[in-house]
Amino acid sequence: MMKSILKVTLTSAMILCCSISSFAADITIKITKQYLNFPISQKTDRKIMKFEMGGKEVREFKIRLASGEPEYWVFSDMTAYRGKTIKISYDGDAAGLSKIYQDDKIAGQDSLYQEKNRPQFHFTTKRGWINDPNGLVFYEGEYHLFYQHNPYEREWENMSWGHAVSKDLVHWEELPVALHPDKVGTMFSGSAVIDYDNTSGFGKPGKPAMVALYTADNPDREVQCVAYSLDKGRTFTKYNDGKPVIDSKEKWNSRDTRDPRVFWYKPGKHWVMALNERDGHSIYTSANLKEWKYESHTSGFWECPDLFELAVDGDQNNKKWVMYGASNTYMIGSFDGKTFKPESGKHYFSSGSIYAAQTYNNIPESDGRRIQIGWGRVPQQGMAFNNMMLLPTELTLKKTKDGIRLYSLPVKEVSQLFTPAQKWTDLKSDDANEKLKEFYNADRLRIKTTIKLSHATEAGFNLFGQRLVGYDLNFNMLNGMFYSPQDPTSMELTADIYVDRTSVEVFIDGGAYSYSMERKPDLNNKEGFHFWGNNIEVKNLEVFTAKSIWK
Ligand code: FRU
């Protein structure tokens, strides 16, 4: 299946074979090019591969090396080892070893970002698997997006921190893997801060350290560790050789202690870590990012904590704290630097494919936004990469009829990608369906619409039979979740719909609720875009074409 997408340069493979001396299950290569390319087959069992340099092991991971025809190729950026000789050993079928080749291009480079199912305005990794966003931090004009990553396969394994940077939250440049697994464990989720006051001592004069706090996961336990970078996240040094700064398995009688989310607590002039431990989020504090003191615990959350303060309706004199977990369900409350006191919740503001979302640290005060990126659990069928990041959104707190609630909308930078194409008002649904015919086959676009129900209990909007919007005013269900508009007597619903090649994101009523899904057209359905529901009015309908974020 992958052959049409990944054109392997056999010539360079063969040239390189000649400079590889192959014995049984190891080969020795002098690294002269940027990448090592590996042939992969999902039909092969995972086996252990090791890189050794000067008799010392420098990397170990599991890989399904193809001994026959590869289904796809993955790569490792070897810039750090240029000029060095490494021994690669593999405890599986040695036949695949001879196919590994080095090159200044990754296999499939020429069709990179143009693959059939490559999302065009969502971040995806070049090759391999991604899950949670990690270490979201803005620093010197760059938004950093680290992420859970298996560089060697399109499925979850070998957790590492992948890395990409952007100047505008829209166009991303993927950089080499930032954190590789080590003897303490694989690199699970975490966060990153800029240590301006050099509290950790990792910085140099005029060069504050970017400090990453991550979980190292091993079969026995999950521990919290620290790494720092003095070159804007390009390379990291593991503090104390990756040994833990927090090991709380015994305290909690649980190995589920993970995903440190750290930020600077200005009023108390100390660091705060929200850490998921067993059944909720604990708070730890620190003066130097190395020694941590347990302070408190809020039950009711699983994985990937976040905790931040937001002004209600922009009122700087009325601020509340928000705590959420991996599902994005949240509590609103107060926080004194040591204890989070819930006042309301749990609530939800987004659902569907979103998981493990994190918000940015270190957004300049002059900007002041709380920007979130969520993992989009969207399978990328038949591709050498898998999953994606959802559009970055700005989170705000608003007073609503139900109390204070989180809203989320794509950040303003996203709008540069969309060009108005058509706009109509006050249409009958049949007319609207007719007008949208010219957009049936668009692989990506944005549609904004307001529908009004009168004769129907249910109405909505489909794309080739897939329900993008399905609103039931009787049970107040919107695509499977309870939703009640601000004016409960309102029969209107506004949906801002972002359709990419493999996903759909929907923002309802100015961000009061949002959801996302894999794009899954019913191949037998010929309807294209289709409003449905008895006698509904399409009060507004706007179509935007969508640019690609990839060059
Ligand atoms: C959430 C999660 C985290 C963990 C990571 C491992 O998706 O399970 O709790 O750190 O993924 O990849």
Side-chain angles (χ1 to χ4, degrees):
M1 201 185 329
M2 297 306 304
K3 269 181 286 173
S4 58
I5 303 148
L6 301 176
K7 291 191 209 90
V8 177
T9 47
L10 270 176
T11 38
S12 52
M14 289 163 76
I15 293 163
L16 280 147
C17 280
C18 306
S19 65
I20 293 171
S21 49
S22 168
F23 333 89
D26 51 64
I27 51 173
T28 302
I29 307 181
K30 180 164 185 202
I31 302 296
T32 55
K33 312 246 175 188
Q34 187 175 358
Y35 303 108
L36 276 182
N37 288 300
F38 302 91
I40 302 300
S41 167
Q42 292 299 126
K43 295 182 208 98
T44 310
D45 287 343
R46 287 184 182 132
K47 297 286 175 185
I48 293 186
M49 179 170 282
K50 288 182 184 168
F51 292 177
E52 259 177 53
M53 228 174 57
K56 204 176 150 235
E57 187 182 313
V58 290
R59 207 181 290 172
E60 178 181 325
F61 52 94
K62 294 182 189 137
I63 190 165
R64 299 178 192 271
L65 218 51
S67 43
E69 191 64 17
E71 285 155 43
Y72 59 97
W73 291 78
V74 296
F75 69 92
S76 183
D77 188 314
M78 302 302 284
T79 307
Y81 299 110
R82 234 175 224 267
K84 307 256 161 58
T85 297
I86 64 163
K87 186 167 115 182
I88 303 178
S89 63
Y90 182 54
D91 74 357
D93 184 345
L97 271 178
S98 61
K99 295 202 187 94
I100 298 173
Y101 71 97
Q102 54 175 330
D103 199 350
D104 285 324
K105 283 180 169 186
I106 68 166
Q109 176 96 31
D110 298 341
S111 53
L112 189 63
Y113 299 125
Q114 293 157 36
E115 302 94 335
K116 181 167 173 283
N117 282 340
R118 173 74 72 177
Q120 290 299 296
F121 58 83
H122 288 92
F123 176 79
T124 45
T125 187
K126 289 176 184 168
R127 297 287 182 259
W129 161 276
I130 58 177
N131 53 294
D132 317 355
N134 293 153
L136 301 188
V137 66
F138 178 78
Y139 184 51
E140 295 201 341
E142 287 180 327
Y143 295 92
H144 291 265
L145 166 60
F146 298 93
Y147 48 89
Q148 291 287 280
H149 185 33
N150 182 1
Y152 309 108
E153 193 186 320
R154 48 166 286 130
E155 300 301 332
W156 187 94
E157 188 53 76
N158 300 314
M159 278 302 109
S160 310
W161 277 30
H163 189 198
V165 288
S166 172
K167 290 191 162 50
D168 62 3
L169 287 164
V170 169
H171 300 92
W172 297 95
E173 181 196 349
E174 185 170 330
L175 298 174
V177 169
L179 295 174
H180 291 279
D182 58 28
K183 293 287 171 214
V184 185
T186 50
M187 304 288 102
F188 271 25
S189 285
S191 53
V193 294
I194 306 300
D195 185 9
Y196 287 106
D197 295 339
N198 201 17
T199 62
S200 60
F202 298 144
K204 295 256 157 63
K207 223 186 222 184
M210 178 185 289
V211 184
L213 291 104
Y214 62 91
T215 299
D217 176 87
N218 64 56
D220 177 50
R221 60 187 61 223
E222 291 178 333
V223 292
Q224 319 317 320
C225 308
V226 178
Y228 63 92
S229 167
L230 297 177
D231 58 0
K232 298 201 271 180
R234 270 57 179 181
T235 57
F236 278 88
T237 305
K238 285 178 179 160
Y239 166 62
N240 210 1
D241 272 339
K243 292 195 190 67
V245 296
I246 299 176
D247 180 350
S248 55
K249 177 181 169 178
E250 272 73 35
K251 174 178 165 65
W252 292 94
N253 184 26
S254 167
R255 70 178 295 283
D256 292 304
T257 60
R258 61 174 175 270
D259 309 337
R261 172 68 177 95
V262 175
F263 60 92
W264 178 246
Y265 182 70
K266 220 173 158 186
K269 296 199 178 62
H270 62 78
W271 298 101
V272 168
M273 177 193 293
L275 182 68
N276 188 260
E277 295 184 307
R278 197 168 64 193
D279 68 349
H281 295 343
S282 301
I283 300 296
Y284 287 76
T285 55
S286 173
N288 57 13
L289 293 165
K290 300 184 235 179
E291 286 130 347
W292 291 92
K293 178 170 177 268
Y294 172 82
E295 302 283 359
S296 62
H297 186 77
T298 306
S299 301
F301 292 106
W302 176 247
E303 305 185 320
C304 304
D306 210 335
L307 175 64
F308 48 85
E309 192 181 34
L310 271 178
V312 180
D313 290 322
D315 178 358
Q316 296 302 320
N317 298 316
N318 182 17
K319 291 184 170 177
K320 291 284 174 199
W321 285 79
V322 175
M323 181 180 263
Y324 69 69
S327 67
N328 241 341
T329 53
Y330 65 99
M331 299 180 194
I332 291 179
S334 63
F335 182 62
D336 62 2
K338 296 181 174 178
T339 306
F340 174 75
K341 284 208 182 100
E343 289 164 8
S344 83
K346 292 197 299 189
H347 314 295
Y348 61 85
F349 66 102
S350 63
S351 71
S353 66
I354 193 167
Y355 200 70
Q358 191 179 98
T359 63
Y360 268 88
N361 271 333
N362 206 38
I363 296 291
E365 265 174 41
S366 56
D367 177 327
R369 287 179 295 173
R370 180 56 52 176
I371 298 167
Q372 185 189 61
I373 295 184
W375 168 32
R377 293 174 293 172
V378 173
Q380 309 297 351
Q381 308 289 356
M383 295 289 100
F385 57 92
N386 211 350
N387 293 302
M388 58 176 227
M389 294 302 164
L390 294 167
L391 290 173
T393 55
E394 179 179 357
L395 303 186
T396 50
L397 279 181
K398 293 189 193 300
K399 280 192 197 127
T400 74
K401 72 174 184 349
D402 304 309
I404 298 169
R405 291 291 184 274
L406 267 182
Y407 275 56
S408 116
L409 279 179
V411 292
K412 60 176 191 298
E413 290 87 338
V414 164
S415 65
Q416 66 186 280
L417 294 171
F418 301 97
T419 312
Q422 291 284 7
K423 183 176 162 74
W424 302 277
T425 50
D426 298 320
L427 298 174
K428 294 276 170 231
S429 56
D430 287 351
D431 297 339
N433 293 340
E434 194 57 35
K435 299 219 182 294
L436 287 177
K437 273 195 171 148
E438 68 170 287
F439 299 103
Y440 272 20
N441 295 316
D443 68 337
R444 57 184 193 266
L445 83 179
R446 172 183 171 198
I447 293 192
K448 207 173 169 184
T449 186
T450 301
I451 55 171
K452 186 170 181 199
L453 289 72
S454 54
H455 299 47
T457 53
E458 261 192 288
F461 187 49
N462 286 3
L463 175 54
F464 290 110
Q466 181 178 17
R467 192 152 291 195
L468 307 188
V469 180
Y471 179 51
D472 173 344
L473 68 85
N474 188 19
F475 290 93
N476 272 95
M477 297 297 279
L478 178 55
N479 276 42
M481 298 290 272
F482 183 82
Y483 179 73
S484 165
Q486 278 313 292
D487 171 1
T489 69
S490 167
M491 293 291 96
E492 284 186 20
L493 192 83
T494 296
D496 197 353
I497 306 166
Y498 293 80
V499 181
D500 201 344
R501 280 192 186 161
T502 61
S503 66
V504 182
E505 285 191 72
V506 184
F507 295 86
I508 297 293
D509 291 342
Y513 174 55
S514 58
Y515 53 93
S516 52
M517 63 189 96
E518 181 185 358
R519 183 173 172 184
K520 264 191 176 165
D522 171 352
L523 298 177
N524 297 315
N525 183 292
K526 304 277 175 269
E527 281 174 349
F529 287 108
H530 186 77
F531 287 96
W532 53 272
N534 190 13
N535 261 329
I536 66 161
E537 286 170 53
V538 179
K539 296 195 71 178
N540 186 57
L541 179 59
E542 287 170 76
V543 183
F544 305 77
T545 55
K547 297 191 186 83
S548 172
I549 62 172
W550 307 115
K551 300 250 161 55

